[in-house]
Amino acid sequence: MRTDGGVVKQVGKVGRRVGLSLTVAGFVAPWTPWQAVAQSAPSQSAPAQSAPTAKTEEVMVTGQRKVERLQKAPVSVTVLSKSVLANAGVKRAADFVALTPGVSLVAGTAEVGDSQLNIRGINSTRDAGGSFAYVVDGIQISNPADFNREYSNLAQIEVLKGPQGAIYGRNAEAGAVVVTTTMPDNTREVYSRTGVGQFSTVYTQDAVSGALVHDTLFGRLGFDYRTTNGFDANAFLHDKSVDFNRAYNLDGRLVWKPTDDWLVDVKGRYGMVAAGAIDYNAVFELPAFVSTFGPAVNENVNAHQFDYVNNIRPVNYQNTYELSVRAEHDMGFAKLTGYIAYDDIENNLISDGTLATFGFYNNTNNLLHKNTCQSSQAAALASGLTYPAPQSPQFNFLGPYTASTCDGYQYQVRNEDDVSAEIRLASTGKRDLRWSTGAYYLHVDRHVGVSVGDDNGLGIQRSLYNPINSISATAQLYDDQFTTNVFAGFASADYDILPNLTASAAIRYDVEVRDDKNLIPAGNLQDYINVVSGGPANGAFFPLNPGLIANPKGIPSQSVTFQQPEPKATLSWTPVPNATLYATFGIGFKSGGFNSAGTQATVSNIAAETGSDVKVGDRYGKETSKAFEIGLKGTLLDKRLSYQLAGYYTQVNGMQFSEFFSSGQGLLRVVSNIDRVDLQGAELGLQYRLADWLSVGGGGGLTGSEIVKNLSRPDTVGNKSPYTPAYSADIGITVHQPVSQHWAVLARLDTNFVGPTWFHTVQRQSVPTIFGAPGYYAGAERQAYSLTNLRVGLTSKKLELIGFVQNMFDRRYLAEVIPAPEFGGSFASRGPGRLIGGEATVHF
C-alpha cells in the first residue's frame, strides 16, 4: 500500500469501516476524532473493495516537522486522511475547514481569492496577510490569495492550532495548515472524476501519473475545471451574475530520485478564475429614521431579504502562476532540504460603488454624461423595478449596488508576486537529542489599487485612472506598490530526559523590511479630478487622493522594519503507553505594514464629518501573541476509544483587524490594530469504534474572547474578538459496507455547527454616522447556524458513483457581515443554498 508521501503508515489492513463524529456543543476536538483512523473507503488511487476484519491503523503526522504518531505528537492537530478527504468530497478550503472544529472560514465574499481563516480567535486579516502558515508539500505558500482554490490529488491535511512560527515559519501565529499531495511513483494511475449539479454546476478532476523512468523519474499531470451559475440572480440585469464561478487549473509534477539519498521535486501550476465579486447587500441600522423610511432602515442582519439589482455586472478575474523546486539529501547523520518557489497572482475586480447613499453622484460635472444619475433612476422605475426597502428614489435615499448609476463604480487591482527560499538541516535516526536549523528568505512585490469613479451607464474602463470627460471618469484613487523583504533564521531541539519524558525548544527570529511607494502622480489642483458638484462636496475640488492635500507634490515613500523572536517550549510526558500529557508555551508574530497612502487623511475627514473618535493611520503595527496550552491525548479499550483534551489561554497584542469605511469621502478598506485581546477555550475530541463498520465520536469547542484595550475605538473595550464564533463543532457519519465481491455502499453524512459571531469591534455601540444620526449595531451579530451534507453511492475498484446534497436542509445563513459604522449600516453576504448533484469517477 502507498504511504501517501510518507504521511500515513499502515500497520494493519483496514476492512469495512464507518466513521461517526458526534458533538456536544461547547467542545472542539483538537483533531476530528474519526479522522484519526484512516479508512479503506474509496480514494483517488485506491477505491474501496471488500476487505477482511478491520485492525488498528496508525496515523502519522508531521506537526513538529518530523514524522510521528498522532497520539504521541504534543500539539493540537486535526488530521484529515486521504480516505476521509475523498469520502467527504473535499475540493476547496471551506470543505476541509468544515471538518475541523475550532476553525472557521470566510472566503470568496469580496473576491475569489479572499479568505479569512480564524483559529482559536485569531483571524487572518484582509490586506494584512494570513495568521497561519500554509504549507504544501513542504513549501510555505506566502500569498494568502492562493489558499481559497481548488484542491486535488490530496493525501493528507493537518490543521495545527496555537503558535507554530518557530516550527513552520512566517505568520504562523494562530497555527498552520499543512497539505500533502500524493507523490507520483512506479504505480501507474489514471482517473477522471466528473460531477454535475443544479444551477448549471459542472466540475471535473483528471490526472495521469506514474514512472517515466522506473525507480528514478516520476511524473504527474492534472487538470480540473469548475463552472456554476451560482444561487443568486440579478433582478435588474436578469442574469446569474452574483455568485457565478468559472475556473480551471493545470498542474504538473516531476520527481527525480537519482540515488537512494537524493530527491528532487519540481512542481508547476497555472490557474484562471472568473467569478462574481462584492457579493453584498447593504443592511441599514439607523433607528432615528424608522418614522421616515419604515422598519427596514433599522434591520437585524439575520432577517434581511437579499435583493441584487446592480446595474454593473460584478466580475473578478484571477490568474495564478506557480513554480517550485524542492530537494532533499540524506547525509546519514542529518537530512538537508531546501526549496525555491515563485508565485504570481494577478487579481482585479469591477463592481458597483457605494456612494449613492451620500448623493455623491447626484449631479455630475462630467460633460459627457451630466445628470445620468437622475435619468437612470427614472429608467429603472419605468421598467417596473422596485428598489429594495428602505431605498426610495422619491425620497432621494439610495443604497449601494443599485440599478441606477448614482452609486458610481469601483475597480480594484491586487497583484502580488513572491519569491521565497528556505534551507533546513535536521538530524536523523533515533537518538536522545534531535535538532534542526535553517534560514528563510522571502521577497514580495504587491500592487494595490482602488479606484472609485463615475458610472455613465455606457460601460466601465478597466483602468485605475480615467481622466475627466472620459468614460467612467475617476473621482478617487488609492494606488500603491508595496515591497517586502523577509529574513529569518530558526532552530529547534528535542531531548528525551527520560524514555517517557521529552523537552522540546524552538526559536525563530524574523526581520521584515516593508516599503510603500505611492503611484499617484504629483500635480496641482488643476490636475485633480472634479466629477462631482453639489452633495456633501458643495462643488469643492476633490483631489484624487486625500493624502495629496498635505502633499501636493506627491505622497512620499515610506519604509519600516519589524522584527520579533518567536520561541516555543514544550514538555510531553507519557505516564502509560497509550496516553500523552503535554504543556506548551509559544510566542506568535505577524508583521505590521502599510495601508494605502491617504488612509489617515481619509479616516480623519470621516471622523471630523461624523463626530466619530475612530483613529486609523497609513501604517499599522505588528501583531504578537503569548499562548499557553495543556493537553491530554490517548487511547483506551484496545485502541477502540480515542480522545484528545486541551485547554488554552492566548493574549494577543496589536491584533490586526480589517474594517471598511464608506461615506461622502469615498470608500476605503483599511487595517487597524486592536491593542489587546484575551482568548481562552477548551477543546474535547472523542471516538469510539463500536464495530468493524461503525465508529462514533465527536468534536466541539468553546472560545471565549474579550477586547481589553482598543485605542482605535475606545468604546469597544469588553466586546468580543471579531470573526470569532462562540463555538464550533462537527458531526460526521461514514458507512462503507461491501454488498458483493466487487461493490460496496458508501454513505457519508456531515453536519457542521458554527456559533454566533461578531464581525467588528463595534457590537452594541451607537456610532455617529454621516447622516447626523447614530447607527446602532446590536443587530449585526450573525446568528448560529448548522449545515448538513450527504454523499451516498456505490464504489468498486474501477468505478465510483456518488450522489450528493450540499446544505441538505437549505439553511439560509450569513457568510459574512461587515459593519461600516460611520456609514450607518452593514454589508452582508449570504452563504450558498442547497445543491443537489451526482459524481462519477473512473479509474483506468
Side-chain angles (χ1 to χ4, degrees), residues 1-323:
M1 175 180 176
R2 283 184 174 175
T3 59
D4 293 339
V7 178
V8 181
K9 177 182 177 182
Q10 174 155 334
V11 297
K13 291 184 179 179
V14 178
R16 297 167 293 179
R17 189 67 51 82
V18 174
L20 171 63
S21 174
L22 177 64
T23 302
V24 177
F27 296 91
V28 147
W31 53 290
T32 304
W34 44 265
Q35 297 150 357
V37 182
Q39 304 172 31
S40 66
S43 66
Q44 295 170 352
S45 59
Q49 305 176 68
S50 58
T53 303
K55 295 182 180 180
T56 302
E57 183 180 51
E58 291 286 4
V59 168
M60 310 303 289
V61 298
T62 58
Q64 301 295 299
R65 284 280 192 181
K66 59 190 176 186
V67 178
E68 57 187 332
R69 292 173 52 202
L70 172 64
Q71 292 299 326
K72 295 291 185 181
V75 62
S76 293
V77 54
T78 294
V79 182
L80 305 174
S81 67
K82 183 168 188 172
S83 58
V84 168
L85 294 166
N87 292 346
V90 169
K91 296 178 179 65
R92 297 192 63 82
D95 298 334
F96 66 78
V97 169
L99 302 176
T100 311
V103 181
S104 62
L105 177 69
V106 172
T109 52
E111 55 198 69
V112 69
D114 178 44
S115 58
Q116 297 178 86
L117 191 71
N118 188 289
I119 303 176
R120 289 184 172 179
I122 300 179
N123 196 62
S124 301
T125 307
R126 284 190 175 101
D127 303 318
S131 295
F132 65 99
Y134 172 42
V135 181
V136 179
D137 293 326
I139 295 175
Q140 183 172 2
I141 308 300
S142 54
N143 192 332
D146 193 62
F147 182 68
N148 187 36
R149 48 163 287 191
E150 203 80 6
Y151 289 84
S152 60
N153 193 39
L154 292 171
Q156 184 160 297
I157 294 178
E158 302 168 45
V159 182
L160 297 91
K161 302 169 188 176
Q164 304 296 330
I167 305 297
Y168 270 108
R170 181 175 180 263
N171 285 357
E173 180 191 14
V177 176
V178 182
V179 176
T180 304
T181 64
T182 302
M183 185 178 292
D185 57 19
N186 284 321
T187 304
R188 176 179 174 273
E189 180 183 24
V190 182
Y191 72 87
S192 178
R193 174 175 293 114
T194 300
V196 296
Q198 295 171 288
F199 312 109
S200 301
T201 299
V202 178
Y203 61 85
T204 65
Q205 289 184 345
D206 307 285
V208 56
S209 67
L212 303 176
V213 179
H214 189 73
D215 288 338
T216 303
L217 184 64
F218 316 95
R220 180 185 187 276
L221 185 64
F223 174 78
D224 62 75
Y225 170 78
R226 175 181 295 271
T227 180
T228 180
N229 286 341
F231 297 90
D232 293 307
N234 186 311
F236 179 69
L237 296 176
H238 304 291
D239 65 12
K240 304 279 282 188
S241 62
V242 177
D243 54 345
F244 80 97
N245 187 285
R246 313 276 186 269
Y248 69 85
N249 293 277
L250 179 66
D251 64 270
R253 187 173 188 180
L254 285 175
V255 176
W256 182 40
K257 295 181 178 179
T259 64
D260 290 342
D261 52 12
W262 272 100
L263 181 147
V264 179
D265 189 359
V266 181
K267 296 174 64 180
R269 179 172 75 97
Y270 170 72
M272 190 284 294
V273 182
I278 314 295
D279 183 10
Y280 300 108
N281 271 194
V283 183
F284 292 97
E285 289 137 328
L286 295 164
F289 293 103
V290 169
S291 60
T292 303
F293 297 103
V297 82
N298 185 36
E299 189 177 15
N300 186 296
V301 293
N302 300 281
H304 179 71
Q305 298 297 313
F306 281 79
D307 293 286
Y308 298 93
V309 293
N310 312 55
N311 76 296
I312 295 175
R313 183 173 287 104
V315 181
N316 177 204
Y317 294 103
Q318 179 172 293
N319 291 279
T320 301
Y321 307 84
E322 292 178 353
L323 181 64

